[in-house]
Amino acid sequence: MKARILDFIQHLIIYDYFLFGAVFIFFILFLIIAILLRHKLALAIFFVLIAFGVLTAGPIGGYIALHHYLFNNKIILHEVKALEFTEALLIKGDINNTSKRPFNECTIKVGVHKVTHNQYLDRLYPYIPFKKGSMILDESISPGGSASFKFIVEPFRYNKDYNITIKADCR
């Protein structure tokens, strides 16, 4: 957990600091409004709740939206194949940079999940993969460019229907 936190802090960009600063300013602003409206108790409590909502949900939602906008990418799968002579699943594809910023590093996360004919389980299974893995692609990708990747999930012994979920977090 410590390594993940340090990795997160090391990869912050200037826009992240602006976002976190703006969230803190809005938090303080809503608290000042609540203090000014202290004689109207219901309105003051409402602004305090809004302030703490901004403080908790603002950085998370803002970070996700900001990085989705700044580092937009598209993954195209070319081949998903269960290998015959070894218990492994081969996934080949390309990652395209559709943003206006170059990518220096991409973390590709793959999940393999079951497929049933129960509509409720089919909605639940993509969130609970039975096999998952990740890889780091250290290739520089210019805006509009692409890079190919090959990923092997092993051991893979599942012989029924399955689906692949794949996403990339690029920086």
Side-chain angles (χ1 to χ4, degrees):
M1 185 67 164
K2 181 179 176 182
R4 291 180 75 180
I5 293 172
L6 290 175
D7 183 54
F8 174 78
I9 291 171
Q10 287 176 350
H11 287 97
L12 289 176
I13 58 175
I14 190 73
Y15 298 114
D16 295 326
Y17 293 113
F18 286 142
L19 171 73
F20 298 146
V23 166
F24 186 70
I25 288 171
F26 277 115
F27 171 71
I28 298 296
L29 179 72
F30 283 128
L31 282 182
I32 290 172
I33 291 172
I35 290 170
L36 292 176
L37 296 173
R38 68 183 174 269
H39 298 295
K40 298 179 182 178
L41 186 62
L43 204 53
I45 291 174
F46 175 73
F47 276 107
V48 168
L49 291 175
I50 293 290
F52 282 105
V54 165
L55 186 65
T56 57
I60 297 168
Y63 181 83
I64 292 170
L66 181 70
H67 280 257
H68 179 71
Y69 176 74
L70 288 178
F71 301 110
N72 196 11
N73 59 53
K74 183 179 178 183
I75 295 179
I76 300 170
L77 290 178
H78 294 298
E79 183 178 7
V80 176
K81 178 180 173 182
L83 300 177
E84 292 179 28
F85 300 110
T86 183
E87 295 175 340
L89 181 69
L90 175 68
I91 300 169
K92 288 183 183 179
D94 287 333
I95 181 166
N96 297 329
N97 184 352
T98 58
S99 71
K100 296 177 182 171
R101 299 174 56 97
F103 296 160
N104 296 326
E105 173 183 291
C106 288
T107 303
I108 300 171
K109 298 177 183 173
V110 175
V112 183
H113 55 90
K114 298 177 184 178
V115 174
T116 65
H117 298 292
N118 185 336
Q119 65 180 356
Y120 301 112
L121 289 177
D122 282 339
R123 290 184 186 161
L124 177 68
Y125 279 148
Y127 300 108
I128 309 170
F130 66 89
K131 285 303 256 187
K132 58 185 173 180
S134 65
M135 69 177 282
I136 296 176
L137 189 66
D138 285 331
E139 197 171 321
S140 181
I141 306 171
S142 62
S146 66
S148 61
F149 65 90
K150 186 188 325 183
F151 190 80
I152 296 176
V153 178
E154 62 179 350
F156 186 76
R157 299 179 189 99
Y158 195 71
N159 56 6
K160 297 179 184 174
D161 289 338
Y162 56 88
N163 280 338
I164 304 291
T165 55
I166 188 166
K167 70 175 191 172
D169 296 324
C170 297
R171 300 175 185 160

